[in-house]
Amino acid sequence: MWRRSASFILDNQQRRKDVASSSKPESISLSPPQLSSMADAFQNPNSSNPKNSAYYQTRAAHHGVVTSDWLAQAQAAVGRPPDDQASSEPEVPAAAAAASEPGRPFCVIDEFNNWRKQPDLAEAVAAIRALATVIRSSEATTMMELEIELKKASDSLKSWDTTSISLTAGCDLFTRYVTRTSALEYEDFNSAKSRLIERAEKFGEISYKARRIIAMVSQDFIFDGCTILVHGFSRVVLEVLKTAAQSKKLFRVFCTEGRPDRTGLRLSNELAKLDVPVKLLIDSAVAYTMDEVDMVFVGADGVVESGGIINMMGTYQIALVAHSMNKPVYVAAESYKFARLYPLDQKDMAPALRPIDFGVPIPSKVEVERSARDYTPPQYLTLLFTDLGVLTPSVVSDELIQLYL
């Protein structure tokens, strides 16, 4: 039985808002003017316009419909950092500066690899930054030439690792976001290019700040005294737990080992540096310890159209065990990982293989499963924490339609 359910958390949020309503401004609505808060949407799903699902209550980043609390959180996360935090912004790699030098050839793969050297920068964000540099350094003289150049650069990045879902989705979303309006065709080329550069920089900034926004919107679901099970190493999950620790919340974490690359061991080391109580488990001990767990937190390589996720191998079986024992499974994933995929089973996706060392010689007649990831269907997931808000799995398809329009 859950110690804290999603509805419990949201009910508490609403009660706190009601108590503080005399000192807080009314909810801010930019467009359209009248939508209830995200908590109201979950709490009273029948009270809002029946044509609007709860999903539409959470799309603050793209439609500007926000409560005062959400607006403050989003502005704090994506706004200009204070002077003492300026060093947290990613530095422009040397390749970007060199690309502006006349006569020097520009290579999008080199630019991408330079961005990837920053340890806290996700692979998809590095690709987005590289594509933004493509626009800045382009010598095209028409919009058609520029769009063709951008598509070629995007295809080059996607072919760099054809099995990376987040890389492919990030490139596709960037291209759609930057070039999605036909109004560009009616502007002079220099103005249109400036608009593309502005959009590219904005998209890159939003993508870079996504992890921080997710960490903030998920905090009310982590309560004092809880035990959280995590699987593998996810930067966004680490940011969620780091933010909770910095907020002086008292909780402990169970980390699966994450064989064969032992990514869970890496995450446990990072949490130990934050003085968070951590227990390291072998992967097969998940069912054994699930009765001690209050919630499961996982990241995602990709969020697919069904509302399910593709993630590190073992995520599916963890979700199955958690579902059978009524434990909530939360997913933390940036919106640039939303992919136009609809897998029907575990084998219905491109394989991502990895080397596996069992520590002993394996006879050549023995077949070894080398798949690095699995697919978790949406019915085993509770909520997805994204930079677009808190989503239920059932509304992910709505989000994908909006993102790829």
Side-chain angles (χ1 to χ4, degrees):
M1 185 174 183
W2 298 2
R3 293 181 59 185
R4 294 289 194 277
S5 66
S7 60
F8 178 91
I9 297 294
L10 293 169
D11 287 346
N12 272 357
Q13 287 180 335
Q14 185 60 34
R15 280 196 291 270
R16 287 198 297 269
K17 289 179 182 179
D18 292 341
V19 171
S21 59
S22 59
S23 59
K24 287 188 176 181
E26 296 295 327
S27 62
I28 301 175
S29 180
L30 301 182
S31 172
Q34 293 181 348
L35 281 178
S36 58
S37 68
M38 179 171 64
D40 292 335
F42 280 97
Q43 195 172 341
N44 301 305
N46 297 323
S47 63
S48 58
N49 188 331
K51 295 182 180 179
N52 292 336
S53 66
Y55 147 78
Y56 288 103
Q57 315 298 327
T58 65
R59 299 196 71 253
H62 283 255
H63 281 275
V65 183
V66 294
T67 64
S68 56
D69 288 346
W70 172 263
L71 180 65
Q73 290 179 349
Q75 287 179 336
V78 303
R80 184 178 296 277
D83 292 339
D84 58 346
Q85 296 180 356
S87 59
S88 64
E89 292 292 332
E91 295 181 0
V92 178
S100 61
E101 297 178 9
R104 178 153 187 175
F106 173 79
C107 177
V108 68
I109 299 297
D110 291 343
E111 177 71 5
F112 169 66
N113 287 327
N114 274 283
W115 280 109
R116 284 180 63 240
K117 292 177 182 178
Q118 301 186 26
D120 292 333
L121 205 63
E123 190 176 81
V125 179
I128 289 167
R129 297 289 193 181
L131 289 174
T133 307
V134 169
I135 300 175
R136 285 196 301 269
S137 61
S138 174
E139 297 180 359
T141 56
T142 65
M143 282 302 301
M144 181 64 73
E145 291 178 2
L146 182 55
E147 289 190 21
I148 291 174
E149 187 175 342
L150 184 61
K151 185 180 185 305
K152 287 181 178 178
S154 176
D155 291 342
S156 296
L157 289 172
K158 288 189 287 186
S159 63
W160 182 82
D161 183 359
T162 56
T163 65
S164 176
I165 298 173
S166 61
L167 178 61
T168 298
C171 290
D172 289 343
L173 282 170
F174 176 87
T175 304
R176 293 294 302 151
Y177 181 83
V178 170
T179 63
R180 69 190 308 169
T181 177
S182 59
L184 294 171
E185 300 174 3
Y186 302 100
E187 300 181 7
D188 66 90
F189 176 72
N190 290 332
S191 298
K193 183 177 179 180
S194 298
R195 187 186 292 265
L196 288 184
I197 294 174
E198 181 182 349
R199 288 182 184 173
E201 294 295 339
K202 181 180 179 182
F203 189 87
E205 188 65 21
I206 291 173
S207 300
Y208 177 73
K209 296 293 186 181
R211 199 179 301 160
R212 180 60 183 162
I213 297 175
I214 294 169
M216 297 177 73
V217 302
S218 61
Q219 289 308 298
D220 283 334
F221 293 82
I222 300 176
F223 54 90
D224 282 337
C226 70
T227 298
I228 304 171
L229 175 67
V230 297
H231 181 56
F233 183 89
S234 166
R235 292 186 183 93
V236 65
V237 171
L238 176 59
E239 186 69 22
V240 169
L241 299 177
K242 180 179 179 181
T243 302
Q246 292 172 343
S247 301
K248 307 300 182 184
K249 291 189 177 183
L250 303 177
F251 61 96
R252 63 173 178 165
V253 178
F254 288 174
C255 288
T256 58
E257 183 186 9
R259 280 187 59 85
D261 46 11
R262 307 181 77 182
T263 50
L265 179 60
R266 177 184 170 193
L267 181 62
S268 65
N269 291 339
E270 294 296 327
L271 292 173
K273 295 176 183 178
L274 301 172
D275 294 327
V276 174
V278 182
K279 179 188 283 189
L280 192 63
L281 312 174
I282 57 175
D283 294 335
S284 55
V286 169
Y288 175 79
T289 57
M290 187 60 74
D291 60 337
E292 301 180 55
V293 172
D294 293 297
M295 66 191 74
V296 177
F297 252 104
V298 294
D301 290 344
V303 180
V304 298
E305 292 185 49
S306 64
I309 63 169
I310 297 172
N311 195 41
M312 178 182 176
M313 181 66 73
T315 303
Y316 181 32
Q317 62 191 22
I318 291 175
L320 283 171
V321 173
H323 181 76
S324 69
M325 300 180 69
N326 287 331
K327 308 291 184 178
V329 179
Y330 299 136
V331 179
E334 303 90 333
S335 61
Y336 57 73
K337 294 180 178 178
F338 282 45
R340 301 186 73 176
L341 299 172
Y342 203 108
L344 300 178
D345 55 37
Q346 297 300 324
K347 306 299 188 295
D348 194 17
M349 51 187 168
L353 305 179
R354 60 184 173 183
I356 298 178
D357 181 12
F358 289 97
V360 294
I362 303 297
S364 59
K365 296 181 180 180
V366 176
E367 183 179 359
V368 176
E369 176 61 67
R370 300 183 185 275
S371 298
R373 61 195 182 195
D374 59 24
Y375 165 61
T376 304
Q379 61 266 32
Y380 303 113
L381 306 176
T382 307
L383 290 173
L384 291 90
F385 299 114
T386 77
D387 47 304
L388 306 178
V390 182
L391 305 178
T392 59
S394 61
V395 299
V396 168
S397 59
D398 290 340
E399 178 61 42
L400 275 160
I401 290 171
Q402 295 295 326
L403 286 176
Y404 283 96
L405 274 178

